[in-house]
Amino acid sequence: MPISDDALDYNLDQVSILGRALYIGGWARALSPRILLDGRDLPFMTERVVRADVASFFDEPDAATWGFVLVAMLPEGRIDRTRLTVQLRIDVVLTDPARFIIAGEDYAGKALIEGFISKVHETKGSLLELGSRARSGNSYRGLFPDDIEYTGIDITSGPNVDVVGDAHSMSDVIDKRFDYIFSISVFEHLLMPWKVAIEMGKVLKPGGLAYIQSHSAYPLHDEPWDFWRFSKNAWSALFNAHTGFEVVDAQYRYPAFVVPKLIGEAGHEDVSTSMNHLVSACLVRKVGEPKVEWAANTADVYDLGYSHGER
């Protein structure tokens, strides 16, 4: 819970920006705060809040009163977080305060992708990236060794694309099998992701591993080709014995809150205080050939001529 071994008397839980409002929450045994942007003080308000979780951690009568919230108005909504400094008291000065926040699931999610990348580095082999086009020059190719057998497939030609084709029918344009499949921020744009799971089983070697990352909660983007959001529990609906897979692990990353634009709407009162995550990911292993088929042609259902260009 605390952010250091030698200072068991403070912690940050949240550093968020909504519009231009900077919100910092946490707890501290003693508090005399300042908020600085580029070394200059920002006006802010302080509110002490009751923290039952802190009281259960410390056997001290006043521990429940250690909670706090700091709120300041920023001159702009988007800032480099390293420009921020939070001083909880004269001996506790935190530059880039967000880096001090401990999020267990964030660590687990980071370990999941790092473990997959390390596995590829150790064993080399062949890797297929789904949605590989380097939009705006951004590519994940550099995560992997230069000497692996790498193939990038995308619905649209462009930088880092070796094969142009629809992931829903990738076995029609790919005639080999891979040791690994990798995909980031693609599955939310797939009209029928279950069909893609079946296709993955057709182009992955027995025992092969796939790392798939998408969103649990995220603003709509690249519409009208934004279709899905995935909790970490949803991956087993796509990757199971019927499609020829088992889920090795599934994790979240980047804790977040969903904030309604209008307050007081029925049933939405507690949305902004309930935890969500921006990213959900899974590591899956091929355990057999697909037992099911989905013959529907996606082009008959929806225009998947993804025209979004460079951003």
Side-chain angles (χ1 to χ4, degrees):
M1 188 178 189
I3 66 173
S4 66
D5 294 330
D6 58 349
L8 303 181
D9 60 356
Y10 63 88
N11 187 60
L12 295 184
D13 302 311
Q14 184 176 353
V15 178
S16 303
I17 296 175
L18 178 59
R20 288 173 49 208
L22 171 66
Y23 180 103
I24 300 172
W27 59 267
R29 188 187 306 264
L31 186 68
S32 52
R34 294 170 63 194
I35 301 177
L36 300 96
L37 179 65
D38 296 329
R40 299 181 179 180
D41 282 279
L42 285 177
F44 66 96
M45 57 172 266
T46 306
E47 184 75 20
R48 279 289 195 176
V49 296
V50 174
R51 291 289 299 263
D53 59 327
V54 178
S56 67
F57 191 78
F58 290 93
D59 186 21
E60 299 187 35
D62 63 341
T65 67
W66 293 356
F68 68 82
V69 169
L70 311 176
V71 179
M73 292 303 296
L74 296 168
E76 58 209 72
R78 296 186 65 178
I79 64 167
D80 182 340
R81 56 185 248 183
T82 62
R83 295 168 58 192
L84 279 174
T85 299
V86 174
Q87 176 180 304
L88 298 183
R89 56 180 186 262
I90 194 167
D91 61 327
V92 180
V93 180
L94 310 176
T95 301
D96 183 10
R99 68 189 175 92
F100 291 93
I101 295 179
I102 292 177
E105 286 182 317
D106 200 47
Y107 280 139
K110 183 179 180 183
L112 187 62
I113 185 172
E114 289 180 346
F116 175 80
I117 294 170
S118 294
K119 182 75 172 176
V120 177
H121 276 265
E122 291 170 6
T123 61
K124 303 295 173 60
S126 56
L127 181 143
L128 174 67
E129 181 178 353
L130 307 183
S132 63
R133 183 164 58 101
R135 298 182 61 189
S136 303
N138 296 322
S139 170
Y140 297 107
R141 176 66 180 88
L143 295 176
F144 304 105
D146 293 335
D147 56 349
I148 68 166
E149 188 180 343
Y150 170 93
T151 302
I153 183 173
D154 201 285
I155 193 73
T156 302
S157 62
N160 203 47
V161 177
D162 302 299
V163 178
V164 176
D166 188 345
H168 294 91
S169 54
M170 72 179 94
S171 63
D172 291 344
V173 294
I174 293 177
D175 59 0
K176 61 168 294 182
R177 295 200 172 196
F178 296 86
D179 297 294
Y180 301 102
I181 292 178
F182 175 80
S183 179
I184 286 186
S185 298
V186 173
F187 265 61
E188 69 269 23
H189 301 296
L190 299 174
L191 183 66
M192 301 178 185
W194 52 90
K195 185 173 173 63
V196 176
I198 296 170
E199 287 292 300
M200 286 171 56
K202 295 178 180 179
V203 301
L204 194 62
K205 294 178 182 179
L209 293 173
Y211 176 86
I212 307 297
Q213 178 178 304
S214 187
H215 296 295
S216 174
Y218 205 79
L220 292 171
H221 56 287
D222 289 336
E223 290 189 276
W225 302 287
D226 190 355
F227 304 113
W228 302 98
R229 296 294 180 268
F230 301 89
S231 76
K232 72 176 184 179
N233 305 303
W235 295 115
S236 59
L238 299 179
F239 301 105
N240 51 59
H242 297 286
T243 55
F245 288 95
E246 66 176 0
V247 176
V248 178
D249 197 3
Q251 297 292 343
Y252 291 121
R253 287 198 73 184
Y254 308 117
F257 298 97
V258 176
V259 181
K261 189 172 183 178
L262 301 177
I263 63 173
E265 296 294 309
H268 298 169
E269 295 87 349
D270 298 324
V271 169
S272 63
T273 59
S274 299
M275 182 58 66
N276 210 316
H277 297 81
L278 298 182
V279 162
S280 167
C282 65
L283 180 68
V284 300
R285 178 184 292 112
K286 179 176 175 176
V287 295
E289 297 303 313
K291 300 177 182 179
V292 294
E293 189 61 75
W294 189 267
N297 187 339
T298 51
D300 294 337
V301 179
Y302 203 90
D303 177 13
L304 294 182
Y306 296 87
S307 62
H308 38 265
E310 304 305 311
R311 288 187 296 186

